[in-house]
mmCIF file of all heavy atoms in Angstrom:
data_model
loop_
_atom_site.group_PDB
_atom_site.id
_atom_site.type_symbol
_atom_site.label_atom_id
_atom_site.label_comp_id
_atom_site.label_asym_id
_atom_site.label_seq_id
_atom_site.Cartn_x
_atom_site.Cartn_y
_atom_site.Cartn_z
ATOM 1 N N ARG A 27 0.844 -1.187 0.000
ATOM 2 C CA ARG A 27 0.000 0.000 0.000
ATOM 3 C C ARG A 27 0.878 1.236 0.000
ATOM 4 O O ARG A 27 1.690 1.428 0.906
ATOM 5 C CB ARG A 27 -0.938 0.030 1.199
ATOM 6 C CG ARG A 27 -1.964 1.153 1.095
ATOM 7 C CD ARG A 27 -2.964 1.177 2.218
ATOM 8 N NE ARG A 27 -2.425 1.797 3.420
ATOM 9 C CZ ARG A 27 -3.165 2.355 4.374
ATOM 10 N NH1 ARG A 27 -4.491 2.356 4.258
ATOM 11 N NH2 ARG A 27 -2.600 2.887 5.445
ATOM 12 N N LEU A 28 0.692 2.049 -1.021
ATOM 13 C CA LEU A 28 1.395 3.316 -1.114
ATOM 14 C C LEU A 28 0.532 4.423 -0.519
ATOM 15 O O LEU A 28 -0.692 4.386 -0.628
ATOM 16 C CB LEU A 28 1.719 3.656 -2.565
ATOM 17 C CG LEU A 28 2.504 2.609 -3.362
ATOM 18 C CD1 LEU A 28 2.799 3.159 -4.762
ATOM 19 C CD2 LEU A 28 3.770 2.207 -2.662
ATOM 20 N N SER A 29 1.207 5.398 0.071
ATOM 21 C CA SER A 29 0.522 6.561 0.619
ATOM 22 C C SER A 29 1.138 7.824 0.040
ATOM 23 O O SER A 29 2.336 7.869 -0.234
ATOM 24 C CB SER A 29 0.648 6.607 2.144
ATOM 25 O OG SER A 29 0.091 5.462 2.743
ATOM 26 N N CYS A 30 0.320 8.842 -0.119
ATOM 27 C CA CYS A 30 0.788 10.139 -0.583
ATOM 28 C C CYS A 30 0.092 11.208 0.245
ATOM 29 O O CYS A 30 -1.136 11.316 0.217
ATOM 30 C CB CYS A 30 0.471 10.320 -2.065
ATOM 31 S SG CYS A 30 0.831 11.978 -2.682
ATOM 32 N N VAL A 31 0.896 11.967 0.970
ATOM 33 C CA VAL A 31 0.357 13.057 1.786
ATOM 34 C C VAL A 31 0.546 14.371 1.044
ATOM 35 O O VAL A 31 1.663 14.705 0.629
ATOM 36 C CB VAL A 31 1.061 13.115 3.153
ATOM 37 C CG1 VAL A 31 0.488 14.263 3.976
ATOM 38 C CG2 VAL A 31 0.892 11.797 3.893
ATOM 39 N N ALA A 32 -0.540 15.093 0.873
ATOM 40 C CA ALA A 32 -0.519 16.386 0.200
ATOM 41 C C ALA A 32 -0.535 17.505 1.220
ATOM 42 O O ALA A 32 -1.230 17.430 2.230
ATOM 43 C CB ALA A 32 -1.708 16.514 -0.745
ATOM 44 N N SER A 33 0.219 18.555 0.942
ATOM 45 C CA SER A 33 0.221 19.743 1.794
ATOM 46 C C SER A 33 0.346 20.976 0.924
ATOM 47 O O SER A 33 0.603 20.887 -0.276
ATOM 48 C CB SER A 33 1.365 19.675 2.817
ATOM 49 O OG SER A 33 2.617 19.623 2.171
ATOM 50 N N GLY A 34 0.176 22.127 1.543
ATOM 51 C CA GLY A 34 0.221 23.368 0.780
ATOM 52 C C GLY A 34 -1.170 23.749 0.315
ATOM 53 O O GLY A 34 -2.123 23.622 1.066
ATOM 54 N N SER A 35 -1.268 24.175 -0.911
ATOM 55 C CA SER A 35 -2.544 24.648 -1.465
ATOM 56 C C SER A 35 -3.360 23.462 -1.979
ATOM 57 O O SER A 35 -3.487 23.234 -3.174
ATOM 58 C CB SER A 35 -2.278 25.645 -2.591
ATOM 59 O OG SER A 35 -1.537 26.743 -2.130
ATOM 60 N N THR A 36 -3.935 22.711 -1.063
ATOM 61 C CA THR A 36 -4.644 21.485 -1.447
ATOM 62 C C THR A 36 -6.103 21.728 -1.823
ATOM 63 O O THR A 36 -6.747 20.831 -2.365
ATOM 64 C CB THR A 36 -4.582 20.451 -0.314
ATOM 65 O OG1 THR A 36 -5.140 21.033 0.864
ATOM 66 C CG2 THR A 36 -3.151 20.032 -0.037
ATOM 67 N N LEU A 37 -6.615 22.923 -1.545
ATOM 68 C CA LEU A 37 -7.975 23.210 -1.982
ATOM 69 C C LEU A 37 -8.009 23.299 -3.502
ATOM 70 O O LEU A 37 -7.046 23.714 -4.124
ATOM 71 C CB LEU A 37 -8.463 24.523 -1.372
ATOM 72 C CG LEU A 37 -8.663 24.538 0.140
ATOM 73 C CD1 LEU A 37 -9.091 25.925 0.595
ATOM 74 C CD2 LEU A 37 -9.708 23.505 0.550
ATOM 75 N N SER A 38 -9.099 22.933 -4.076
ATOM 76 C CA SER A 38 -9.324 23.028 -5.523
ATOM 77 C C SER A 38 -8.403 22.125 -6.338
ATOM 78 O O SER A 38 -8.139 22.396 -7.509
ATOM 79 C CB SER A 38 -9.167 24.471 -6.009
ATOM 80 O OG SER A 38 -10.080 25.311 -5.369
ATOM 81 N N ILE A 39 -7.883 21.081 -5.720
ATOM 82 C CA ILE A 39 -7.159 20.082 -6.511
ATOM 83 C C ILE A 39 -8.175 19.380 -7.404
ATOM 84 O O ILE A 39 -9.207 18.915 -6.934
ATOM 85 C CB ILE A 39 -6.435 19.083 -5.610
ATOM 86 C CG1 ILE A 39 -5.198 19.724 -4.975
ATOM 87 C CG2 ILE A 39 -6.024 17.836 -6.386
ATOM 88 C CD1 ILE A 39 -4.437 18.822 -4.038
ATOM 89 N N ASN A 40 -7.891 19.294 -8.689
ATOM 90 C CA ASN A 40 -8.809 18.670 -9.632
ATOM 91 C C ASN A 40 -8.797 17.146 -9.489
ATOM 92 O O ASN A 40 -9.833 16.501 -9.501
ATOM 93 C CB ASN A 40 -8.449 19.046 -11.064
ATOM 94 C CG ASN A 40 -8.440 20.526 -11.258
ATOM 95 O OD1 ASN A 40 -7.421 21.126 -11.568
ATOM 96 N ND2 ASN A 40 -9.591 21.161 -11.060
ATOM 97 N N TYR A 41 -7.580 16.603 -9.424
ATOM 98 C CA TYR A 41 -7.433 15.175 -9.193
ATOM 99 C C TYR A 41 -6.093 14.906 -8.528
ATOM 100 O O TYR A 41 -5.190 15.748 -8.549
ATOM 101 C CB TYR A 41 -7.556 14.351 -10.484
ATOM 102 C CG TYR A 41 -6.529 14.631 -11.554
ATOM 103 C CD1 TYR A 41 -5.199 14.246 -11.413
ATOM 104 C CD2 TYR A 41 -6.910 15.248 -12.745
ATOM 105 C CE1 TYR A 41 -4.268 14.489 -12.398
ATOM 106 C CE2 TYR A 41 -5.982 15.494 -13.736
ATOM 107 C CZ TYR A 41 -4.663 15.116 -13.564
ATOM 108 O OH TYR A 41 -3.743 15.353 -14.551
ATOM 109 N N ILE A 42 -5.972 13.748 -7.957
ATOM 110 C CA ILE A 42 -4.732 13.302 -7.353
ATOM 111 C C ILE A 42 -4.612 11.812 -7.618
ATOM 112 O O ILE A 42 -5.620 11.115 -7.719
ATOM 113 C CB ILE A 42 -4.698 13.625 -5.836
ATOM 114 C CG1 ILE A 42 -3.312 13.366 -5.240
ATOM 115 C CG2 ILE A 42 -5.788 12.865 -5.096
ATOM 116 C CD1 ILE A 42 -3.151 13.966 -3.847
ATOM 117 N N GLY A 43 -3.392 11.350 -7.798
ATOM 118 C CA GLY A 43 -3.256 9.937 -8.102
ATOM 119 C C GLY A 43 -1.825 9.518 -8.317
ATOM 120 O O GLY A 43 -0.895 10.147 -7.799
ATOM 121 N N TRP A 44 -1.680 8.459 -9.102
ATOM 122 C CA TRP A 44 -0.395 7.797 -9.236
ATOM 123 C C TRP A 44 -0.028 7.537 -10.695
ATOM 124 O O TRP A 44 -0.866 7.103 -11.484
ATOM 125 C CB TRP A 44 -0.430 6.457 -8.500
ATOM 126 C CG TRP A 44 -0.682 6.605 -7.039
ATOM 127 C CD1 TRP A 44 -1.901 6.637 -6.424
ATOM 128 C CD2 TRP A 44 0.295 6.771 -6.011
ATOM 129 N NE1 TRP A 44 -1.734 6.812 -5.075
ATOM 130 C CE2 TRP A 44 -0.404 6.897 -4.790
ATOM 131 C CE3 TRP A 44 1.685 6.824 -6.002
ATOM 132 C CZ2 TRP A 44 0.259 7.073 -3.576
ATOM 133 C CZ3 TRP A 44 2.337 6.988 -4.793
ATOM 134 C CH2 TRP A 44 1.628 7.110 -3.598
ATOM 135 N N TYR A 45 1.231 7.798 -10.992
ATOM 136 C CA TYR A 45 1.866 7.363 -12.219
ATOM 137 C C TYR A 45 3.028 6.470 -11.821
ATOM 138 O O TYR A 45 3.452 6.450 -10.668
ATOM 139 C CB TYR A 45 2.394 8.562 -13.017
ATOM 140 C CG TYR A 45 1.364 9.267 -13.867
ATOM 141 C CD1 TYR A 45 0.318 9.980 -13.296
ATOM 142 C CD2 TYR A 45 1.449 9.230 -15.263
ATOM 143 C CE1 TYR A 45 -0.623 10.632 -14.082
ATOM 144 C CE2 TYR A 45 0.519 9.882 -16.054
ATOM 145 C CZ TYR A 45 -0.504 10.585 -15.451
ATOM 146 O OH TYR A 45 -1.433 11.225 -16.241
ATOM 147 N N ARG A 46 3.567 5.767 -12.793
ATOM 148 C CA ARG A 46 4.762 4.967 -12.542
ATOM 149 C C ARG A 46 5.682 5.015 -13.748
ATOM 150 O O ARG A 46 5.245 5.249 -14.865
ATOM 151 C CB ARG A 46 4.410 3.519 -12.212
ATOM 152 C CG ARG A 46 3.805 2.727 -13.359
ATOM 153 C CD ARG A 46 3.344 1.344 -12.881
ATOM 154 N NE ARG A 46 2.768 0.560 -13.952
ATOM 155 C CZ ARG A 46 2.168 -0.611 -13.783
ATOM 156 N NH1 ARG A 46 2.058 -1.136 -12.555
ATOM 157 N NH2 ARG A 46 1.678 -1.268 -14.811
ATOM 158 N N GLN A 47 6.951 4.782 -13.469
ATOM 159 C CA GLN A 47 7.944 4.769 -14.534
ATOM 160 C C GLN A 47 8.908 3.628 -14.300
ATOM 161 O O GLN A 47 9.656 3.634 -13.310
ATOM 162 C CB GLN A 47 8.693 6.101 -14.614
ATOM 163 C CG GLN A 47 9.613 6.211 -15.810
ATOM 164 C CD GLN A 47 10.090 7.627 -16.031
ATOM 165 O OE1 GLN A 47 10.035 8.478 -15.153
ATOM 166 N NE2 GLN A 47 10.559 7.893 -17.243
ATOM 167 N N ALA A 48 8.869 2.664 -15.191
ATOM 168 C CA ALA A 48 9.816 1.563 -15.150
ATOM 169 C C ALA A 48 11.112 1.984 -15.842
ATOM 170 O O ALA A 48 11.112 2.886 -16.684
ATOM 171 C CB ALA A 48 9.233 0.332 -15.827
ATOM 172 N N GLN A 49 12.185 1.316 -15.511
ATOM 173 C CA GLN A 49 13.479 1.677 -16.080
ATOM 174 C C GLN A 49 13.439 1.559 -17.593
ATOM 175 O O GLN A 49 13.017 0.534 -18.135
ATOM 176 C CB GLN A 49 14.570 0.779 -15.512
ATOM 177 C CG GLN A 49 15.974 1.283 -15.769
ATOM 178 C CD GLN A 49 17.007 0.549 -14.948
ATOM 179 O OE1 GLN A 49 16.706 -0.426 -14.264
ATOM 180 N NE2 GLN A 49 18.237 1.018 -15.003
ATOM 181 N N GLY A 50 13.843 2.617 -18.273
ATOM 182 C CA GLY A 50 13.884 2.619 -19.724
ATOM 183 C C GLY A 50 12.559 2.846 -20.406
ATOM 184 O O GLY A 50 12.467 2.760 -21.631
ATOM 185 N N LYS A 51 11.511 3.121 -19.621
ATOM 186 C CA LYS A 51 10.190 3.318 -20.207
ATOM 187 C C LYS A 51 9.641 4.680 -19.834
ATOM 188 O O LYS A 51 10.137 5.338 -18.922
ATOM 189 C CB LYS A 51 9.239 2.215 -19.732
ATOM 190 C CG LYS A 51 9.622 0.823 -20.217
ATOM 191 C CD LYS A 51 8.553 -0.184 -19.860
ATOM 192 C CE LYS A 51 8.898 -1.567 -20.398
ATOM 193 N NZ LYS A 51 7.841 -2.562 -20.082
ATOM 194 N N GLN A 52 8.595 5.075 -20.542
ATOM 195 C CA GLN A 52 7.950 6.354 -20.252
ATOM 196 C C GLN A 52 7.068 6.246 -19.009
ATOM 197 O O GLN A 52 6.589 5.165 -18.662
ATOM 198 C CB GLN A 52 7.101 6.790 -21.456
ATOM 199 C CG GLN A 52 7.905 7.235 -22.657
ATOM 200 C CD GLN A 52 7.040 7.863 -23.735
ATOM 201 O OE1 GLN A 52 5.873 7.519 -23.883
ATOM 202 N NE2 GLN A 52 7.601 8.789 -24.488
ATOM 203 N N ARG A 53 6.878 7.381 -18.376
ATOM 204 C CA ARG A 53 5.977 7.428 -17.229
ATOM 205 C C ARG A 53 4.549 7.160 -17.721
ATOM 206 O O ARG A 53 4.130 7.680 -18.751
ATOM 207 C CB ARG A 53 6.071 8.789 -16.549
ATOM 208 C CG ARG A 53 5.424 8.860 -15.191
ATOM 209 C CD ARG A 53 5.739 10.179 -14.499
ATOM 210 N NE ARG A 53 7.176 10.312 -14.206
ATOM 211 C CZ ARG A 53 7.680 11.281 -13.447
ATOM 212 N NH1 ARG A 53 6.867 12.169 -12.886
ATOM 213 N NH2 ARG A 53 8.977 11.351 -13.245
ATOM 214 N N GLU A 54 3.814 6.351 -16.959
ATOM 215 C CA GLU A 54 2.463 5.990 -17.376
ATOM 216 C C GLU A 54 1.487 6.126 -16.220
ATOM 217 O O GLU A 54 1.839 5.974 -15.047
ATOM 218 C CB GLU A 54 2.424 4.548 -17.901
ATOM 219 C CG GLU A 54 2.790 3.494 -16.881
ATOM 220 C CD GLU A 54 2.662 2.070 -17.405
ATOM 221 O OE1 GLU A 54 2.391 1.884 -18.611
ATOM 222 O OE2 GLU A 54 2.826 1.145 -16.596
ATOM 223 N N LEU A 55 0.242 6.375 -16.593
ATOM 224 C CA LEU A 55 -0.820 6.501 -15.608
ATOM 225 C C LEU A 55 -1.090 5.166 -14.933
ATOM 226 O O LEU A 55 -1.114 4.122 -15.588
ATOM 227 C CB LEU A 55 -2.099 6.976 -16.292
ATOM 228 C CG LEU A 55 -3.373 6.929 -15.464
ATOM 229 C CD1 LEU A 55 -3.328 7.986 -14.375
ATOM 230 C CD2 LEU A 55 -4.591 7.114 -16.352
ATOM 231 N N VAL A 56 -1.298 5.206 -13.627
ATOM 232 C CA VAL A 56 -1.727 4.023 -12.881
ATOM 233 C C VAL A 56 -3.178 4.202 -12.433
ATOM 234 O O VAL A 56 -4.045 3.408 -12.779
ATOM 235 C CB VAL A 56 -0.822 3.766 -11.668
ATOM 236 C CG1 VAL A 56 -1.332 2.560 -10.873
ATOM 237 C CG2 VAL A 56 0.616 3.555 -12.102
ATOM 238 N N ALA A 57 -3.437 5.244 -11.650
ATOM 239 C CA ALA A 57 -4.785 5.464 -11.130
ATOM 240 C C ALA A 57 -4.923 6.906 -10.686
ATOM 241 O O ALA A 57 -3.957 7.500 -10.193
ATOM 242 C CB ALA A 57 -5.082 4.527 -9.965
ATOM 243 N N LEU A 58 -6.125 7.456 -10.861
ATOM 244 C CA LEU A 58 -6.437 8.804 -10.425
ATOM 245 C C LEU A 58 -7.760 8.804 -9.680
ATOM 246 O O LEU A 58 -8.630 7.976 -9.959
ATOM 247 C CB LEU A 58 -6.562 9.753 -11.618
ATOM 248 C CG LEU A 58 -5.340 9.972 -12.505
ATOM 249 C CD1 LEU A 58 -5.726 10.840 -13.702
ATOM 250 C CD2 LEU A 58 -4.218 10.592 -11.728
ATOM 251 N N ILE A 59 -7.904 9.741 -8.771
ATOM 252 C CA ILE A 59 -9.192 9.970 -8.132
ATOM 253 C C ILE A 59 -9.494 11.459 -8.254
ATOM 254 O O ILE A 59 -8.661 12.312 -7.927
ATOM 255 C CB ILE A 59 -9.214 9.478 -6.673
ATOM 256 C CG1 ILE A 59 -10.610 9.620 -6.072
ATOM 257 C CG2 ILE A 59 -8.156 10.155 -5.818
ATOM 258 C CD1 ILE A 59 -10.805 8.815 -4.796
ATOM 259 N N TYR A 60 -10.662 11.767 -8.783
ATOM 260 C CA TYR A 60 -11.032 13.140 -9.035
ATOM 261 C C TYR A 60 -11.663 13.772 -7.807
ATOM 262 O O TYR A 60 -12.145 13.072 -6.903
ATOM 263 C CB TYR A 60 -11.982 13.209 -10.230
ATOM 264 C CG TYR A 60 -11.287 12.866 -11.523
ATOM 265 C CD1 TYR A 60 -11.101 11.546 -11.918
ATOM 266 C CD2 TYR A 60 -10.769 13.863 -12.344
ATOM 267 C CE1 TYR A 60 -10.436 11.228 -13.079
ATOM 268 C CE2 TYR A 60 -10.107 13.555 -13.518
ATOM 269 C CZ TYR A 60 -9.943 12.237 -13.875
ATOM 270 O OH TYR A 60 -9.282 11.926 -15.024
ATOM 271 N N TYR A 61 -11.662 15.097 -7.785
ATOM 272 C CA TYR A 61 -12.179 15.816 -6.623
ATOM 273 C C TYR A 61 -13.609 15.388 -6.311
ATOM 274 O O TYR A 61 -13.983 15.213 -5.156
ATOM 275 C CB TYR A 61 -12.134 17.322 -6.891
ATOM 276 C CG TYR A 61 -12.763 18.133 -5.792
ATOM 277 C CD1 TYR A 61 -12.081 18.394 -4.609
ATOM 278 C CD2 TYR A 61 -14.063 18.618 -5.928
ATOM 279 C CE1 TYR A 61 -12.655 19.127 -3.597
ATOM 280 C CE2 TYR A 61 -14.652 19.357 -4.911
ATOM 281 C CZ TYR A 61 -13.940 19.604 -3.754
ATOM 282 O OH TYR A 61 -14.531 20.322 -2.743
ATOM 283 N N SER A 62 -14.405 15.180 -7.358
ATOM 284 C CA SER A 62 -15.811 14.810 -7.169
ATOM 285 C C SER A 62 -16.003 13.345 -6.831
ATOM 286 O O SER A 62 -17.122 12.923 -6.542
ATOM 287 C CB SER A 62 -16.612 15.159 -8.427
ATOM 288 O OG SER A 62 -16.017 14.569 -9.561
ATOM 289 N N GLY A 63 -14.933 12.565 -6.895
ATOM 290 C CA GLY A 63 -15.047 11.186 -6.463
ATOM 291 C C GLY A 63 -14.749 10.089 -7.460
ATOM 292 O O GLY A 63 -14.284 9.014 -7.073
ATOM 293 N N PRO A 64 -15.018 10.282 -8.760
ATOM 294 C CA PRO A 64 -14.761 9.203 -9.719
ATOM 295 C C PRO A 64 -13.282 8.816 -9.759
ATOM 296 O O PRO A 64 -12.405 9.613 -9.428
ATOM 297 C CB PRO A 64 -15.180 9.811 -11.054
ATOM 298 C CG PRO A 64 -16.145 10.878 -10.709
ATOM 299 C CD PRO A 64 -15.652 11.431 -9.390
ATOM 300 N N THR A 65 -13.068 7.581 -10.158
ATOM 301 C CA THR A 65 -11.709 7.074 -10.263
ATOM 302 C C THR A 65 -11.431 6.610 -11.683
ATOM 303 O O THR A 65 -12.353 6.339 -12.464
ATOM 304 C CB THR A 65 -11.480 5.902 -9.300
ATOM 305 O OG1 THR A 65 -12.441 4.877 -9.573
ATOM 306 C CG2 THR A 65 -11.621 6.351 -7.849
ATOM 307 N N SER A 66 -10.161 6.517 -11.999
ATOM 308 C CA SER A 66 -9.733 6.062 -13.315
ATOM 309 C C SER A 66 -8.505 5.186 -13.125
ATOM 310 O O SER A 66 -7.621 5.528 -12.332
ATOM 311 C CB SER A 66 -9.407 7.264 -14.207
ATOM 312 O OG SER A 66 -8.938 6.846 -15.472
ATOM 313 N N TYR A 67 -8.473 4.059 -13.852
ATOM 314 C CA TYR A 67 -7.371 3.113 -13.728
ATOM 315 C C TYR A 67 -6.815 2.746 -15.090
ATOM 316 O O TYR A 67 -7.550 2.668 -16.075
ATOM 317 C CB TYR A 67 -7.848 1.813 -13.066
ATOM 318 C CG TYR A 67 -8.273 1.948 -11.629
ATOM 319 C CD1 TYR A 67 -9.596 2.203 -11.299
ATOM 320 C CD2 TYR A 67 -7.342 1.816 -10.601
ATOM 321 C CE1 TYR A 67 -9.990 2.323 -9.970
ATOM 322 C CE2 TYR A 67 -7.723 1.923 -9.268
ATOM 323 C CZ TYR A 67 -9.057 2.182 -8.969
ATOM 324 O OH TYR A 67 -9.442 2.294 -7.654
ATOM 325 N N ALA A 68 -5.521 2.459 -15.107
ATOM 326 C CA ALA A 68 -4.942 1.858 -16.304
ATOM 327 C C ALA A 68 -5.487 0.441 -16.441
ATOM 328 O O ALA A 68 -5.739 -0.242 -15.438
ATOM 329 C CB ALA A 68 -3.421 1.819 -16.174
#
């Protein structure tokens, strides 16, 4: 389980989530959660 703590200007964040980058590859989307609640997954 990964955790990400946000600080600073956290109001009005549109979405927050995770990308990953394997060695020698481009960064890719893993999962996002939008402010209103919906989620998106690779």
Side-chain angles (χ1 to χ4, degrees):
R27 189 177 80 156
L28 305 183
S29 300
C30 173
V31 180
S33 61
S35 301
T36 57
L37 293 178
S38 300
I39 286 178
N40 303 117
Y41 61 71
I42 189 167
W44 299 89
Y45 278 68
R46 67 186 180 187
Q47 187 167 18
Q49 194 168 7
K51 295 187 177 181
Q52 289 189 330
R53 193 172 295 190
E54 62 177 6
L55 170 70
V56 177
L58 298 174
I59 185 164
Y60 291 83
Y61 175 79
S62 54
T65 57
S66 178
Y67 294 92

